[in-house]
Amino acid sequence: VMEDGTIRINRDEVLLADFERKLHRVLAAKGQRTAFFDAEDEAPFGRAAEVLDHMRGGRATTIAVLSEQIAGK
């Protein structure tokens, strides 16, 4: 999820209305059910939460939330 609320799957911009279908297609093509979630620091919280909810609808069974690496670790 980008700062302006835009959603991307890999590098492709996706409308929320198409998100679940496209995510399912990407996961099926890779033969996996794990999806990785990332949001820019200034992304709207509500939008990020909305996308996380829709990831389940895209048939992701495991959602890994990416975070910043802790300095010095």
Side-chain angles (χ1 to χ4, degrees):
V1 179
M2 310 304 289
E3 183 176 341
D4 64 0
T6 302
I7 304 167
R8 292 190 180 181
I9 295 178
N10 297 325
R11 296 179 192 259
D12 299 326
E13 192 171 315
V14 178
L15 297 174
L16 186 60
D18 300 325
F19 180 78
E20 291 182 18
R21 180 178 52 80
K22 290 186 178 187
L23 179 61
H24 175 63
R25 191 174 358 163
V26 168
L27 293 176
K30 293 182 177 185
Q32 66 181 27
R33 302 286 298 263
T34 299
F36 296 88
F37 174 83
D38 192 17
E40 291 186 334
D41 290 343
E42 300 302 320
F45 177 81
R47 182 66 160 189
E50 187 175 37
V51 171
L52 279 167
D53 286 343
H54 282 276
M55 290 178 83
R56 289 279 184 211
R59 298 193 179 93
T61 55
T62 302
I63 300 170
V65 178
L66 303 176
S67 62
E68 291 184 56
Q69 187 174 16
I70 298 172
K73 296 274 179 174

